[in-house]
């Protein structure tokens, strides 16, 4: 991952997500989204994200998703043309979740190091609470980089990857601003510092590496500890950490 979902407007940052590729109906137009239909689709995306997390994209079938949802395959195909399109919408929803959590902090009028600390906390909490969607994004990036896929799929994944890169750029821009304001040391280049920061903040995606410790206590406390570790590694001094987390 070093490196929304009913529409293509994208986030407030200006990055556009690819259009949703949903099932076409006999009338020749896409399904009209009612509140009830959106609720059904939200449940479907939750079920799909969980299925993809358990078995991976390649091993997961539409039947697996339907079984987890407690529905038929027909209901899934009612919403999506294929497993690929369903997977892309799960990735899209994951990016929306991350943007909704982090972007308000990035846009705040606080000093940069304060914004960065709050962004990092929000990111870790999203990793912990919506891990299934986050792993889908990670797998989507891997598929885009290393697998033979058709032109339409590659274009869709490329747009999703660009949106994810724009999300990560929020951290890079804020970190660079914190260095410019004198609240963090430039231990590495801004690019390397951002990559290292995100690598630490993405640690909850590996339960094996964490030993499940995020489940042994309060998630906010765990997110706080991981954020402090990441900020210290990226060049925040003990004095800055004390100011931000006292």
């Amino acid at each position: 991952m070093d490196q929304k979902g009913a529409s293509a407007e994208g986030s407030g940052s200006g990055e556009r997500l690819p259009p949703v590729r949903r099932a076409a109906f006999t009338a020749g137009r896409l399904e009209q989204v009612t509140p009830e239909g959106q609720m059904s689709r939200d449940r479907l995306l939750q079920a799909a994200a969980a299925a993809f997390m358990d078995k991976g994209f390649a091993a997961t079938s539409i039947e697996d998703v339907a079984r987890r949802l407690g529905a038929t395959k027909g209901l899934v195909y009612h919403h999506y043309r294929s497993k690929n399109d369903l997977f892309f919408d799960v990735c899209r929803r994951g990016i929306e979740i991350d943007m909704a959590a982090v972007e308000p902090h990035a846009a705040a009028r606080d000093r940069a190091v304060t914004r960065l600390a709050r962004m990092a906390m929000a990111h870790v909490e999203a990793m912990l609470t919506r891990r299934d969607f986050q792993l889908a994004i990670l797998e989507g990036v891997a598929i885009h980089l290393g697998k033979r896929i058709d032109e339409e799929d590659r274009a869709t994944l490329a747009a999703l990857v660009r949106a994810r890169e724009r999300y990560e750029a929020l951290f890079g821009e804020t970190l660079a601003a914190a260095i410019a304001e004198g609240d963090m040391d430039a231990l590495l280049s801004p690019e390397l510092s951002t990559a290292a920061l995100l690598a630490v903040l993405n640690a909850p995606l590996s339960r094996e590496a964490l030993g499940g410790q995020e489940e042994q206590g309060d998630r906010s406390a765990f997110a706080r500890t991981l954020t402090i570790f990441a900020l210290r590694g990226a060049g925040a001094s003990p004095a800055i950490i004390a100011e931000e987390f006292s």
Side-chain angles (χ1 to χ4, degrees), residues 171-183:
F171 287 87
E173 293 161 4
T174 309
L175 190 152
I179 292 172
E181 292 173 6
D183 287 331

Side-chain angles (χ1 to χ4, degrees), residues 2 153-155 216 226 236:
D2 287 342
D153 285 355
R154 183 167 295 283
Q216 295 176 10
L226 198 60

Side-chain angles (χ1 to χ4, degrees), residues 23-104:
F25 291 85
T26 55
R29 58 183 181 274
L30 293 180
E31 175 188 7
Q32 296 300 305
V33 180
T34 63
E36 294 77 12
Q38 187 59 49
M39 186 178 299
S40 174
R41 185 172 290 127
D42 289 343
R43 290 180 56 243
L44 173 53
L45 290 176
Q46 290 281 356
F52 290 134
M53 179 177 67
D54 286 349
K55 300 179 68 173
F57 170 76
T60 299
S61 67
I62 290 292
E63 187 171 1
D64 291 328
V65 175
R67 187 182 304 115
R68 187 176 287 270
L69 186 62
T72 65
K73 291 192 294 183
L75 180 101
V76 180
Y77 284 119
H78 175 76
H79 288 294
Y80 293 96
R81 302 183 303 180
S82 67
K83 184 178 78 168
N84 283 16
D85 291 346
L86 174 58
F87 178 72
F88 298 150
D89 218 6
V90 169
C91 293
R92 182 183 290 102
R93 180 60 56 84
I95 295 171
E96 291 175 352
I97 289 167
D98 294 343
M99 275 292 190
V102 166
E103 201 167 31

Side-chain angles (χ1 to χ4, degrees), residues 111-117 178-179 181-185 224 227-228 231-232 234-246:
R111 67 179 183 172
V113 71
T114 299
R115 288 186 279 123
L116 185 61
I179 292 172
E181 292 173 6
D183 287 331
M184 297 182 73
D185 293 328
R224 181 178 183 274
T227 296
I228 290 171
L231 291 177
R232 286 287 289 122
S237 69
I240 288 294
I241 294 296
E243 285 183 30
E244 295 298 323
F245 294 94
S246 60

Side-chain angles (χ1 to χ4, degrees), residues 113-134:
V113 71
T114 299
R115 288 186 279 123
L116 185 61
R118 292 173 181 171
M119 290 164 64
M121 284 279 290
H123 178 90
V124 174
E125 289 175 353
M127 298 299 105
L128 291 170
T129 60
R130 309 304 291 272
R131 185 171 179 268
D132 44 5
F133 284 95
Q134 308 307 324

Side-chain angles (χ1 to χ4, degrees), residues 203 206-216:
S206 174
R207 291 187 184 277
E208 292 77 16
L210 294 173
Q213 292 184 35
E214 80 280 14
E215 297 176 345
Q216 295 176 10

Side-chain angles (χ1 to χ4, degrees), residues 146-230:
K147 188 176 181 180
R148 291 182 180 179
I149 52 178
D150 66 35
E151 186 174 336
E152 185 180 16
D153 285 355
R154 183 167 295 283
T156 300
L157 280 171
L160 289 167
V161 169
R162 287 194 300 272
R164 184 63 186 182
E165 288 172 344
R166 177 59 198 143
Y167 169 79
E168 293 174 352
L170 294 175
F171 287 87
E173 293 161 4
T174 309
L175 190 152
I179 292 172
E181 292 173 6
D183 287 331
M184 297 182 73
D185 293 328
L187 302 178
L188 301 169
S189 69
E191 295 78 15
L192 284 175
S193 292
T194 302
L197 177 79
L198 287 168
V200 174
L201 298 180
N202 287 335
L205 296 185
S206 174
R207 291 187 184 277
E208 292 77 16
L210 294 173
Q213 292 184 35
E214 80 280 14
E215 297 176 345
Q216 295 176 10
D218 180 69
R219 279 182 174 148
S220 294
F222 179 85
R224 181 178 183 274
T225 300
L226 198 60
T227 296
I228 290 171
F229 183 85

